[in-house]
DNA sequence: GGTCACCGATGACATCTGTCATAAAGCCCC
DNA sequence: GGGGCTTTATGACAGATGTCATCGGTGACC
């Protein structure tokens, strides 16, 4: 029997997925968590075989949760389920040692199969998303360009970004100009949108 | 037996919700749709008692689907399920005659109950969201201000917004300035973010 | 040791954007 | 008919933003 931990902040979805998995004879949902912290403490206590983690959790990023889980409960395999199938997220997840990556648009019938694959030590990545991730490539932005673009994404004026990043406003403008240039955007706001669509920020 | 139509573009979620509803003796999921168009044609053919519609569908807005459904299949009650519980969305849905509004963060156990309530001609709105909707009030923006702000939300420069809205760039700047003022934003990008968070655009 | 990329900064310049005053047209309501 | 609001527009101005050249410092790589 494969013991599964379900982590999703959307209670309705979590319950529905539990109902779906309850139909399988060889799977049992031993715990459900709504936050990253809950996921970690439950996994430490119960040692599930597979943790199915939503990418968007209120406190921690799903990938960050997976990373800590690998450190604290090495026997527990992890897989990510997400609404927004962005290439950059897949890339980050795989780098963190996640073994399965499934957008919520995938067919309901394959979830159990993927859990079995992951539990057995295999890997599964949604084929369409994998293709996109390969064709999209990685972020062309440097670390600081990314930092500044994240701060710019809220729509704040340059001065506030500079204050929050502890940089001079001139430097911020240079970084944003560089980022917009690399992304082919007309201004920083369009750049932020494009980077978000790729999962780079 | 209450006959339910499920509309959600996320196949995994749709399937999981179907599994959840299959546990109820008095409910049966007679059809599943992934788009607004599919929802409408299936509802016309099958006349379900209740349509459970996700707010985000690839082609049409969930509320727009509900509106057309009321016209084409008046006996079919509608309810909306959504990831993002924004006050503005609830307001629009109720105005369109939707009888149930449930964020996906609601407990899985209540879904079946809400469907029964809606099927019986009752109404159900998530209590927390209802409180927010009341306290938030309606959008202070005029129709054109909203239009222009929607176009601005992509991060495009003023000239392109003007071109797409068939307005002079000066007029666009006036509208955006007015919108930013009403929303207390420092610039149009922050204004767009704030309006999005309220579900006004 | 030299080259290269990244980080951080400054200064100058042109352009974009936000703001305000003003105005004409249309509509609704009293 | 007048008052108020919306839509659309123009002109003017200050300040914000994007772009570019240039500089010094740091760490990696050959």
């Amino acid at each position: 029997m494969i013991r599964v931990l379900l982590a999703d902040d959307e209670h309705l979805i979590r319950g529905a997925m539990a109902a779906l998995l309850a139909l399988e004879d060889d799977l049992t949902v031993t715990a459900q968590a709504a936050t990253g912290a809950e996921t970690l403490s439950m996994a430490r206590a119960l040692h599930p075989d597979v943790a199915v983690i939503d990418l968007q959790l209120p406190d921690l990023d799903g990938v960050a949760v997976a990373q800590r889980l690998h450190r604290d409960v090495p026997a527990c395999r992890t897989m990510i389920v997400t609404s927004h199938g962005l290439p950059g997220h897949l890339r980050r997840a795989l780098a963190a040692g996640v073994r399965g990556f499934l957008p919520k648009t995938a067919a309901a019938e394959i979830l159990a199969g993927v859990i079995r694959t992951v539990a057995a030590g295999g890997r599964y990545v949604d084929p369409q998303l994998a293709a996109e991730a390969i064709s999209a490539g990685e972020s062309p932005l440097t670390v600081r360009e990314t930092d500044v673009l994240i701060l710019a994404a809220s729509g704040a004026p340059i001065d506030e970004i500079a204050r929050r990043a502890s940089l001079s406003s001139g430097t911020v403008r240079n970084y944003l100009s560089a980022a917009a240039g690399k992304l082919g955007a007309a201004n920083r706001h369009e750049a932020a949108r494009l980077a978000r669509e790729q999962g780079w920020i």
Side-chain angles (χ1 to χ4, degrees), chain A:
Chain A
M1 186 70 101
I2 299 172
R3 299 165 66 249
V4 177
L5 185 158
L6 272 187
D8 195 318
D9 62 321
E10 299 186 322
H11 194 149
L12 179 58
I13 301 309
R14 202 170 71 232
M17 285 183 18
L20 187 67
L21 295 177
L23 302 176
E24 309 289 328
D25 295 337
D26 56 337
L27 301 179
T28 173
V29 176
T30 53
Q32 297 189 25
T35 65
E38 251 180 66
T39 308
L40 290 170
S41 69
M42 284 185 174
R44 286 194 203 101
L46 301 170
H47 289 79
D49 299 307
V50 177
V52 177
I53 308 168
D54 189 87
L55 192 57
Q56 285 95 41
L57 292 175
D59 51 346
L60 279 171
D61 184 63
V63 175
V65 174
Q67 234 157 359
R68 300 194 193 188
L69 217 48
H70 296 152
R71 195 190 54 200
D72 296 0
V73 191
C76 176
R77 324 273 200 189
T78 58
M79 57 175 288
I80 296 282
V81 175
T82 177
S83 294
H84 313 289
L86 302 180
H89 292 162
L90 171 58
R91 197 172 290 274
R92 272 201 314 129
L94 291 181
V98 167
R99 307 188 81 90
F101 199 97
L102 212 57
K104 285 182 179 171
T105 50
E109 293 74 26
I110 72 170
L111 176 63
V114 174
I115 291 177
R116 286 187 199 102
T117 301
V118 168
R123 291 174 181 280
Y124 180 88
V125 168
D126 181 72
Q128 195 182 335
L129 192 54
E132 283 174 35
I134 291 166
S135 73
E138 343 187 9
S139 170
L141 305 177
T142 69
V143 176
R144 291 302 267 161
E145 281 165 5
T146 306
D147 290 346
V148 173
L149 197 54
I150 289 171
L151 292 172
S154 69
I158 298 257
D159 283 346
E160 194 184 325
I161 299 172
R163 211 172 40 69
R164 287 211 265 169
S166 301
L167 289 172
S168 85
S169 56
T171 304
V172 169
R173 281 196 284 162
N174 287 342
Y175 283 149
L176 290 175
S177 179
K182 287 178 181 176
L183 268 45
N187 57 48
R188 65 205 157 96
H189 307 287
E190 194 186 344
R193 185 178 56 83
L194 292 170
R196 216 177 353 231
E197 283 171 7
Q198 291 293 328
W200 289 336
I201 66 172

